[in-house]
Amino acid sequence: MYENYSAAVQAILKKDKIEIGQRIAVQKDSESYEGFLMPKSSGDANCLVLKLDNGYNIGIDIKGAKIKKLHEKRYVGNIKRELPKFDKNKPRVSLITTGGTITSRVDYKTGAVVSLMKPEELLYNVPELANIVNLDIISPFTKMSEDMAPDDWQKIAKIAATELNKDNKGVIITHGTDTLHFTSAALSFMLPNLTKPVVLVGAQRSSDRGSADTSMNLICSAYAAISDIAEVGICMHGSTNDDYCFFTRGTKVRKMHTSRRDAFRPINDLPIAKILPSGNIEIMNYYKKRSDGAVRADTAFEEKVALVKAYPGSDPDYLKFFVDNKYKGIVVEGTGLGHVPTSSKKSWIPAIKAAIKSGIPVVITSQTLYGRVNPNVYTNLRILFDTGAIPGEDMLPETAYIKLGWVLGHTKKPEEIRRLMLTNLVGEISERTDMRTFLN
Amino acid sequence: MYENYSAAVQAILKKDKIEIGQRIAVQKDSESYEGFLMPKSSGDANCLVLKLDNGYNIGIDIKGAKIKKLHEKRYVGNIKRELPKFDKNKPRVSLITTGGTITSRVDYKTGAVVSLMKPEELLYNVPELANIVNLDIISPFTKMSEDMAPDDWQKIAKIAATELNKDNKGVIITHGTDTLHFTSAALSFMLPNLTKPVVLVGAQRSSDRGSADTSMNLICSAYAAISDIAEVGICMHGSTNDDYCFFTRGTKVRKMHTSRRDAFRPINDLPIAKILPSGNIEIMNYYKKRSDGAVRADTAFEEKVALVKAYPGSDPDYLKFFVDNKYKGIVVEGTGLGHVPTSSKKSWIPAIKAAIKSGIPVVITSQTLYGRVNPNVYTNLRILFDTGAIPGEDMLPETAYIKLGWVLGHTKKPEEIRRLMLTNLVGEISERTDMRTFLN
């Protein structure tokens, strides 16, 4: 099992009875490291490969290193191999699994992250869930979130509506984190007359890792799903500690860090609630209250919408690509209050005019993410919005992209598209922005 | 002067002797507003137009509103109309003006922001500068920052090098804020052997506004320019109060809000220093120290580089646009740890392979902005990086875009491009990320 490690490394590991997959501490020079000993696939045979809690593998030359075993058993061996015993008297909630890290584990043979054999294995280590909810598990497909596409949002929305219309309290959807906020925005528009909670949840670390976030995220999600918050939202770690989750509106949230557990942050909004793993819910913002009535999935969506970035040196001709390829809408990530190059040799104004003239609505958002597009302050903004481009208000570029696809799925009339894009439908546009929402 | 306002509005304004441009308070229902009364160009003639301190114009129906004048004179009239009296015995610093809000004012006749007659007018209201530095003012051109292009960066770099090689302590460059961080990254690479400070500064509010940030930003910039920090950086408000500025490395900073004065935030780095308007400098991070030696502008730059975003539903065919149009490099904003759609019908992998095969380097960054691209954690990441794509480490997408342009200006050899992109040249790649850098 030590193959590809040098004889020197193997001797040390054998002497201390350290096996692949076990948690060890390594002291080297003035640095100390803690993580899981990984198998060696290639590279310097004298280097120990350690998976750190932040997800990175590092190689540490064995020379001069002090090694200490921290767990006797392989960490993966600590995971319970049975489902929580659900109680029919607890509130019924549907759990829809779609893939992602939350239904993955580290393969300690290869060091790669692989899908669980059965998605419901994600519950093995969370017996507490049985004290909160009676879960119905539905596993329509397994995809990493970078591979999600609009037709997946449609599938999920339809399944969620079907489940919500059963005699249950709410729905939890497990999902990869990379594009979780795209899906949460899509479901917000596709489930417009929601009467129960739809809680999206993922994990930044697979569940067999020391710093796994799956358990607390799932527990808080279960409390969100039986709460009276009838909104689509994302429920993930609010801080780097295991102290609380934020439940944040699906149109006002974004993955803001590649790897931190508290990567999902509200943008131009406060979280709807802070949810403690004790079940305590602290409301922080307005929300739609739980009510009666069937939920309808309204999934018509125009896929031919583009999201493009304007920046110094950017070529306006590439808007032509979208016009030539019969796109139906374009969302621009402008700079600052919504600018695009205007008075320079690479002005975007003629290309935007041409797109609008050929019937393609153009929505302007800001790459600053925080704040609000303003069509008035500067002359160049007036020139831009005189083309008929639609200001995206304080919508995230991602949210505006999804909203435009959804709106175009429902109407092709320019005035109606404009009206809908400027109207707050499901919380995507705030009338005012609370000062506390910046970098929260 | 009240034209386009209704007779009812005009009557009230005349009665209280309120003139266009004066600062007023308006009480309406339970809300109160404060700002400058703007002229009316169009719209409901019964609505007062007020420019709020956050830069927005709002319309308030006069019906039931209580109006109070706060300043007798038009606010613009309070600005001093003379330059500070500079003292030859103070440290000599060059001030290069390039345009932007910092050299603009509100035209209280039209409500639009217009350029100052002479750029040096930005100093009219900052007499304190004469106590700190002896400024030489150079005004090569006037552009709003959304219109800046790579050849402007080259011009500014050359002028900065010329000035730095005179007998002075440093350079201050005033610039629009929208793309200030693109210019700061460009100058970081174009002035690689810096021995003196290069301080970029802008304003989120024009200098005649109640909440103007020009004065403090300029004062802190002057202290930065005579400090021993020989780095290119941005010096702007660190908080929403007028209490301090951050001086942040030019490759690790980004405009994160459309309108707040503290919009410029360090990403994956701490600010180099907190600078108080008293001149107190609190060092927060490593930096290159002031030294002797000439500064060289190394401005070779390949303009045909693209910055594109990967997202659910994104069309890999639009990478083809850049290949077909003979682009020399592509930076992709991937999701999470650097993913692109991989196993779906719209997989980007074939298009990335094709680009690389035709000699175009592809660099992968993350649209999360915070954190670091990792080529190893997931199978899909390994598939992506097996194409030969270059991981952008913890570089901002904007910084990677500019770095690739600069690198391609110096070499076309694939292995050398790869080596340079993976090497920290001027602080753009951090070896480790301090926990405190997230949402700072």
Side-chain angles (χ1 to χ4, degrees):
Chain A
M1 65 169 294
Y2 298 134
E3 58 199 15
N4 295 326
Y5 277 117
S6 69
V9 171
Q10 292 193 21
I12 291 167
L13 296 177
K14 276 178 194 158
K15 184 170 76 72
D16 294 340
K17 291 180 183 154
I18 296 171
E19 291 177 20
I20 301 293
Q22 286 180 329
R23 194 168 174 84
I24 61 174
V26 181
Q27 184 85 32
K28 169 92 193 237
D29 303 328
S30 59
E31 303 281 352
S32 54
Y33 307 90
E34 200 180 309
F36 299 107
L37 179 64
M38 299 303 289
K40 189 90 193 175
S41 51
S42 60
D44 183 346
N46 278 317
C47 274
L48 282 179
V49 179
L50 212 61
K51 182 170 281 288
L52 304 178
D53 290 340
N54 63 12
Y56 294 104
N57 289 347
I58 57 162
I60 306 167
D61 193 318
I62 197 83
K63 199 175 166 188
K66 283 181 199 163
I67 300 166
K68 197 180 132 192
K69 178 154 66 176
L70 298 174
H71 286 292
E72 194 51 45
K73 290 202 244 173
R74 293 193 196 192
Y75 195 80
V76 69
N78 287 341
I79 293 181
K80 286 206 173 66
R81 305 299 297 169
E82 57 189 34
L83 282 175
K85 287 179 181 52
F86 289 113
D87 172 355
K88 284 187 180 167
N89 295 317
K90 296 286 178 194
R92 205 173 118 188
V93 164
S94 303
L95 179 94
I96 304 168
T97 72
T98 70
T101 301
I102 192 165
T103 48
S104 301
R105 64 181 177 82
V106 174
D107 179 342
Y108 284 95
K109 291 235 172 78
T110 65
V113 176
V114 296
S115 285
L116 296 173
M117 293 289 284
K118 297 181 218 159
E120 63 260 38
E121 289 179 23
L122 93 154
L123 306 177
Y124 280 172
N125 231 18
V126 203
E128 302 92 329
L129 282 175
N131 302 326
I132 312 166
V133 286
N134 174 26
L135 280 188
D136 254 355
I137 300 160
I138 299 124
S139 301
F141 58 83
T142 299
K143 273 192 185 187
M144 298 308 269
S145 79
E146 62 271 19
D147 287 324
M148 291 282 177
D151 56 343
D152 296 309
W153 305 332
Q154 291 170 319
K155 274 179 222 160
I156 298 170
K158 283 172 191 164
I159 296 168
T162 303
E163 292 303 310
L164 290 168
N165 289 332
K166 290 180 182 170
D167 177 29
N168 70 11
K169 293 285 278 183
V171 159
I172 300 172
I173 300 163
T174 65
H175 192 292
T177 60
D178 268 27
T179 69
L180 182 56
H181 52 297
F182 287 88
T183 299
S184 69
L187 295 185
S188 300
F189 294 105
M190 291 180 178
L191 298 167
N193 64 341
L194 210 54
T195 53
K196 296 173 178 178
V198 172
V199 186
L200 286 136
V201 60
Q204 289 279 80
R205 315 284 162 81
S206 56
S207 58
D208 48 354
R209 298 253 306 275
S211 59
D213 48 344
T214 302
S215 283
M216 193 182 84
N217 288 352
L218 273 180
I219 290 166
C220 294
S221 293
Y223 284 117
I226 60 173
S227 75
D228 72 335
I229 305 171
E231 298 260 7
V232 176
I234 290 178
C235 187
M236 296 275 291
H237 269 60
S239 83
T240 51
N241 301 320
D242 282 325
D243 43 7
Y244 61 86
C245 283
F246 279 142
F247 184 56
T248 307
R249 203 178 314 282
T251 52
K252 288 289 196 191
V253 59
R254 193 174 186 279
K255 184 169 181 174
M256 292 297 285
H257 198 283
T258 54
S259 55
R260 280 171 69 115
R261 302 189 300 172
D262 58 346
F264 282 85
R265 312 311 301 179
I267 310 280
N268 296 327
D269 202 9
L270 292 172
I272 295 174
K274 181 191 264 194
I275 302 184
L276 278 68
S278 64
N280 208 351
I281 297 183
E282 295 172 21
I283 297 297
M284 301 173 71
N285 203 342
Y286 79 94
Y287 63 91
K288 197 172 157 189
K289 283 222 161 64
R290 177 186 290 278
S291 62
D292 293 328
V295 170
R296 185 174 45 90
D298 182 358
T299 63
F301 193 88
E302 170 56 63
E303 292 200 15
K304 296 219 72 145
V305 174
L307 176 56
V308 299
K309 206 184 185 88
Y311 51 88
S314 59
D315 190 345
D317 276 355
Y318 89 159
L319 285 183
K320 263 189 65 185
F321 169 87
F322 299 108
V323 177
D324 293 347
N325 283 274
K326 310 236 174 299
Y327 268 68
K328 306 295 184 225
I330 298 173
V331 174
V332 175
E333 276 190 12
T335 62
L337 293 165
H339 281 109
V340 296
T342 303
S343 310
S344 55
K345 61 183 177 184
K346 284 196 175 173
S347 173
W348 279 45
I349 303 298
I352 289 175
K353 272 187 190 160
I356 293 172
K357 204 181 159 190
S358 65
I360 302 171
V362 176
V363 177
I364 308 293
T365 61
S366 178
Q367 60 197 248
T368 63
L369 306 177
Y370 294 96
R372 188 183 301 266
V373 165
N374 186 320
N376 291 319
V377 181
Y378 295 97
T379 307
N380 278 351
L381 290 168
R382 294 178 188 195
I383 292 170
L384 168 59
F385 289 102
D386 279 348
T387 63
I390 303 165
E393 295 287 343
D394 71 330
M395 278 189 283
L396 278 166
E398 294 88 342
T399 298
Y401 161 68
I402 284 161
K403 182 174 179 180
L404 186 56
W406 187 84
V407 165
L408 286 169
H410 292 74
T411 179
K412 299 284 194 236
K413 290 184 194 150
E415 273 319 299
E416 183 63 1
I417 294 164
R418 185 181 186 86
R419 186 187 72 77
L420 286 168
M421 289 307 295
L422 291 171
T423 304
N424 175 37
L425 301 178
V426 290
E428 77 279 13
I429 296 175
S430 320
E431 210 170 316
R432 275 169 212 218
T433 309
D434 189 307
M435 281 287 284
R436 293 169 298 167
T437 59
F438 185 46
L439 304 177
N440 187 322
Chain B
M1 66 169 292
Y2 298 134
E3 60 200 15
N4 295 326
Y5 277 117
S6 69
V9 171
Q10 292 193 21
I12 291 168
L13 296 177
K14 277 179 194 157
K15 184 169 77 70
D16 293 342
K17 292 181 185 152
I18 295 171
E19 292 177 19
I20 301 294
Q22 287 181 327
R23 195 167 173 85
I24 62 173
V26 182
Q27 183 85 33
K28 169 92 193 233
D29 303 328
S30 60
E31 303 282 352
S32 54
Y33 307 90
E34 201 180 308
F36 298 107
L37 179 64
M38 299 303 289
K40 188 92 193 175
S41 51
S42 61
D44 184 346
N46 278 316
C47 275
L48 282 180
V49 179
L50 212 61
K51 181 169 282 286
L52 304 178
D53 290 340
N54 62 13
Y56 294 105
N57 289 348
I58 57 162
I60 306 167
D61 193 319
I62 197 82
K63 200 176 164 189
K66 283 182 200 163
I67 301 166
K68 196 181 134 193
K69 178 154 65 175
L70 298 174
H71 286 291
E72 193 52 44
K73 290 201 243 172
R74 294 193 195 191
Y75 196 80
V76 69
N78 286 341
I79 293 180
K80 285 202 172 67
R81 306 298 299 168
E82 56 188 34
L83 280 175
K85 287 178 182 50
F86 290 114
D87 172 355
K88 284 186 179 169
N89 296 317
K90 296 285 178 194
R92 205 173 118 188
V93 164
S94 303
L95 180 94
I96 304 168
T97 73
T98 70
T101 301
I102 193 165
T103 48
S104 301
R105 63 181 177 82
V106 175
D107 179 342
Y108 284 95
K109 292 236 171 77
T110 66
V113 176
V114 295
S115 285
L116 296 173
M117 294 289 285
K118 296 182 219 157
E120 62 260 37
E121 290 179 22
L122 93 154
L123 305 176
Y124 280 173
N125 231 16
V126 203
E128 302 93 328
L129 282 175
N131 302 326
I132 312 167
V133 286
N134 174 25
L135 280 187
D136 254 355
I137 301 161
I138 300 123
S139 301
F141 58 84
T142 298
K143 274 193 186 189
M144 298 309 270
S145 79
E146 62 271 19
D147 287 324
M148 291 282 177
D151 56 343
D152 296 309
W153 304 333
Q154 292 169 317
K155 273 180 224 161
I156 298 170
K158 283 173 191 163
I159 296 168
T162 303
E163 292 302 312
L164 289 168
N165 289 332
K166 291 179 184 172
D167 178 28
N168 70 11
K169 293 284 277 183
V171 158
I172 301 172
I173 300 163
T174 65
H175 191 292
T177 60
D178 269 27
T179 69
L180 182 56
H181 52 297
F182 287 87
T183 299
S184 69
L187 296 185
S188 299
F189 293 106
M190 290 179 178
L191 298 168
N193 65 339
L194 209 54
T195 54
K196 296 174 179 179
V198 172
V199 185
L200 286 136
V201 60
Q204 289 279 83
R205 315 284 161 80
S206 55
S207 59
D208 48 354
R209 299 252 305 275
S211 59
D213 47 345
T214 302
S215 283
M216 194 182 83
N217 288 351
L218 273 179
I219 289 166
C220 294
S221 294
Y223 284 117
I226 60 173
S227 75
D228 72 334
I229 306 171
E231 298 259 6
V232 176
I234 290 178
C235 187
M236 296 276 291
H237 269 59
S239 83
T240 51
N241 301 322
D242 283 324
D243 43 7
Y244 60 86
C245 283
F246 280 142
F247 184 57
T248 307
R249 204 178 313 283
T251 52
K252 289 289 197 190
V253 60
R254 193 174 185 280
K255 184 170 180 173
M256 292 297 286
H257 198 283
T258 55
S259 54
R260 281 171 67 116
R261 302 189 299 172
D262 58 346
F264 282 84
R265 311 311 302 178
I267 310 282
N268 297 326
D269 202 9
L270 292 173
I272 296 175
K274 181 191 266 195
I275 302 184
L276 279 67
S278 64
N280 209 351
I281 296 184
E282 296 172 21
I283 297 296
M284 301 173 70
N285 204 340
Y286 79 93
Y287 63 92
K288 198 172 154 190
K289 283 221 162 65
R290 177 188 290 279
S291 62
D292 293 327
V295 170
R296 186 173 45 91
D298 182 359
T299 63
F301 193 88
E302 171 56 64
E303 293 200 15
K304 296 220 72 148
V305 174
L307 176 56
V308 300
K309 205 184 185 88
Y311 51 87
S314 58
D315 190 345
D317 276 356
Y318 91 153
L319 285 184
K320 263 188 65 185
F321 169 86
F322 298 108
V323 177
D324 292 346
N325 284 274
K326 312 237 176 296
Y327 269 67
K328 305 295 184 227
I330 298 173
V331 175
V332 175
E333 277 190 13
T335 63
L337 293 165
H339 281 109
V340 296
T342 302
S343 310
S344 55
K345 61 183 176 183
K346 284 195 176 174
S347 173
W348 280 45
I349 303 297
I352 288 176
K353 271 187 191 161
I356 292 172
K357 203 180 160 192
S358 65
I360 302 172
V362 175
V363 176
I364 308 293
T365 61
S366 179
Q367 60 198 247
T368 63
L369 305 178
Y370 293 97
R372 187 182 302 266
V373 165
N374 185 320
N376 291 319
V377 181
Y378 295 97
T379 307
N380 278 350
L381 290 168
R382 295 178 188 195
I383 292 169
L384 168 59
F385 288 102
D386 280 349
T387 63
I390 303 166
E393 295 287 344
D394 72 331
M395 277 189 283
L396 279 166
E398 294 87 343
T399 298
Y401 161 67
I402 284 162
K403 182 175 179 179
L404 186 56
W406 187 84
V407 165
L408 286 168
H410 291 75
T411 180
K412 299 286 195 236
K413 289 185 195 150
E415 274 319 298
E416 184 62 2
I417 294 164
R418 185 180 187 86
R419 186 187 71 78
L420 287 168
M421 289 307 296
L422 291 171
T423 304
N424 175 37
L425 301 179
V426 290
E428 76 279 12
I429 296 175
S430 321
E431 209 170 316
R432 278 171 208 214
T433 310
D434 189 307
M435 282 287 284
R436 292 170 297 167
T437 59
F438 186 46
L439 304 177
N440 188 321

